[in-house]
Amino acid sequence: MLEITNLHATVADKPILNGVSLHVPAGEVHAIMGPNGSGKSTLAYVLAGRPGYEVSEGSATFGGADLLALEPHERAAAGLFLGFQYPVEIPGVSYLQFLRESLNSQRRSRGEAELSGGEFIKLAKAQATLLGMDAEMLKRPVNVGFSGGEKKRAEMVQMGIMNPKFAVLDETDSGLDIDALKAVGAGINRIMRAPEKGVLLITHYQRLLDYVEPDKVHVLRAGLIERSGGPELAHELEREGYAEAAA
Amino acid sequence: MTAPFPTRKQEEWRYADLDALQPVWEQLGDVATLVLAAGESLEEMWLPIADDVQVRRVQLALGEGANARIFALNNAPVYGRIELEVSLAEGAEFELYAANIGAGLSTNEIVTNVKHVGEGGRSRQVIRSVLNGKAIGSYLGKVEVARGAQQTDAEQSVKAMLLDRGATANCKPELEIFADDVKCAHGATVGELDAMQLFYAESRGLDPASARALLLEGFVMGLWDSAGEADAIGDAARAALRRAA
Ligand SMILES: Nc1ncnc2c1ncn2[C@@H]1O[C@H](COP(=O)(O)OP(=O)(O)O)[C@@H](O)[C@H]1O
Ligand SMILES: [Mg+2]
């Protein structure tokens, strides 16, 4: 479903990704682990199309189509969702307005009917409740005054509302206490565990993987996939650290 | 009695559209006075009207521990001026959240003089301008901290977005501080929408034009986030933005 081949990318002329190859078939969850600065977020941004993240070589296809040829909003409409490591604050724009306009814009470009205000609020409230977030928070400006954990939970509420085909989740688990971690893990399983969907789960720690069991685990180091394996690789990394596991 | 007609030599009238002001000075030149007694609170919404030239000149005196919050939208078709002189006694708090939204050949300006007279006063001025065509938007903000006004906390945040090459934003924060234990912060930017906010919005499915429009709206609407009842000023600002963008 997501096929990355020999992907090279630079940020501010500095090479960060040095030939990443990765295939996530439909129905699978793949975890990407790796030390700080190894290029995990860069990979996530390149997949979502962040300006300034230049692909110098290689390819990425999504459902057979050239992902890298699409604008960020077209990737979203195609069903790609990026859960941000650092969700962005937007003062003056309420979550409800932000998500309703975003979702309807996606639906328009897919030729689907837009949701009315009432329909959207119902959907948003249901998703917030499922993730244990007070739906009143959706009336507030996007992420303004949210704690780190609330921001991450809100990313998952957004994912529930958008109902994407594929999610790249960049350290969604960092900054979460154990209850929030459980809620987020359950949210990922509920929203994304389906035969026609896929997930790339970027994480530092084993603990989220206790709730969202990955089909494969990859270790990214210095912009390259250094090792791949089954779920047991995450346990090994947890026990021995990246240096040992690499050796 | 109306004050003598101003001249451009007076700093606070430097960017004003005096030609537009001249014929209406007799009606608009008066300064209104508001006095808050100790501990009193005030929240005001200043909305624009339909007139070509709109001038609001206010003197506001805050007693000990009094607090005033003013939300203002400056959006005159020809010349708009919001002029505020504020004095703060001990522990008083003053907040101004104001927007200049200007289109065409208009001039809209906000001119403030905030005088911290007593100790421990707090003032916060947040100004956002959105200007298109050849519109001019100005903020001249003087903050005076008197000798005895220790522990004053004064903040000025001024940002402008120019939608066309011909538009102009003037920003002149000025500090006159005679106390040594004070915090005075000011920041001013002219320019671009935040690149990370744009990418975040686009990653959720908004096309670039819609993302820009939404962020521009947020740039202004964020001013009213702390208002008790922001529907009227929010609607007026949204309508003004639609005309300008
Ligand atoms: N905007 C940027 N400008 C310059 N260098 C960057 C930028 N973003 C990331 N980098 C660099 O790219 C490398 C990988 O960063 P990142 O992808 O954030 O790693 P990770 O998410 O694995 O911690 C780091 O060396 C970082 O300093
Ligand atoms: Mg990262």
Side-chain angles (χ1 to χ4, degrees), chain B residues 139-176:
Chain B
Y139 168 75
L140 283 74
K142 191 173 187 180
V143 173
E144 297 176 25
V145 182
R147 208 167 299 278
Q150 302 294 0
Q151 270 106 50
T152 287
D153 185 348
E155 181 192 347
Q156 292 165 289
S157 161
V158 187
K159 293 184 184 170
M161 296 290 308
L162 307 179
L163 304 182
D164 290 306
R165 278 177 175 280
T168 307
N170 300 303
C171 169
K172 193 159 182 285
E174 210 181 325
L175 296 173
E176 259 183 34

Side-chain angles (χ1 to χ4, degrees), chain B residues 100 102 128-138 159-170 189-193 212 216 219 244-245:
Chain B
N100 286 314
R128 299 288 179 261
S129 299
V130 175
L131 307 161
N132 83 2
K134 294 195 161 146
I136 299 172
S138 304
K159 293 184 184 170
M161 296 290 308
L162 307 179
L163 304 182
D164 290 306
R165 278 177 175 280
T168 307
N170 300 303
T189 61
V190 175
E192 300 280 303
L193 290 169
R212 283 179 177 284
L216 197 64
F219 176 76

Side-chain angles (χ1 to χ4, degrees), chain A residues 11-12 14 16 35-42 50 53 85 171:
Chain A
V11 182
K14 182 175 153 195
I16 309 288
N36 268 328
S38 58
K40 302 185 297 298
S41 291
T42 301
R50 180 172 169 188
Y53 286 63
Q85 181 175 5
E171 294 201 29

Side-chain angles (χ1 to χ4, degrees), chain B residues 72-174:
Chain B
L73 173 59
N74 199 17
N75 174 228
V78 177
Y79 177 54
R81 179 181 179 92
I82 291 174
E83 184 183 317
L84 248 173
E85 189 181 309
V86 185
S87 68
L88 292 88
E90 188 175 335
E93 293 189 9
F94 168 68
E95 288 175 77
L96 172 67
Y97 298 94
N100 286 314
I101 301 178
L105 292 165
S106 64
T107 298
N108 280 279
E109 54 186 4
I110 294 164
V111 181
T112 65
N113 186 355
V114 174
K115 303 175 175 183
H116 286 268
V117 181
E119 270 184 39
R122 206 174 62 81
S123 66
R124 177 172 159 83
Q125 301 179 66
V126 184
I127 313 294
R128 299 288 179 261
S129 299
V130 175
L131 307 161
N132 83 2
K134 294 195 161 146
I136 299 172
S138 304
Y139 168 75
L140 283 74
K142 191 173 187 180
V143 173
E144 297 176 25
V145 182
R147 208 167 299 278
Q150 302 294 0
Q151 270 106 50
T152 287
D153 185 348
E155 181 192 347
Q156 292 165 289
S157 161
V158 187
K159 293 184 184 170
M161 296 290 308
L162 307 179
L163 304 182
D164 290 306
R165 278 177 175 280
T168 307
N170 300 303
C171 169
K172 193 159 182 285
E174 210 181 325

Side-chain angles (χ1 to χ4, degrees), chain B residues 162-242:
Chain B
L162 307 179
L163 304 182
D164 290 306
R165 278 177 175 280
T168 307
N170 300 303
C171 169
K172 193 159 182 285
E174 210 181 325
L175 296 173
E176 259 183 34
I177 305 176
F178 294 102
D180 48 20
D181 181 17
V182 302
K183 208 168 101 190
C184 293
H186 65 85
T189 61
V190 175
E192 300 280 303
L193 290 169
D194 183 85
M196 204 58 202
Q197 289 179 348
L198 272 173
F199 173 58
Y200 193 60
E202 288 174 27
S203 80
R204 294 302 180 247
L206 288 170
D207 61 81
S210 305
R212 283 179 177 284
L214 188 71
L215 291 185
L216 197 64
E217 193 176 309
F219 176 76
V220 172
M221 302 299 276
L223 288 167
W224 334 125
D225 278 347
S226 65
E229 177 47 64
D231 284 358
I233 201 163
D235 289 348
R238 226 177 256 125
L241 275 174
R242 225 161 277 142

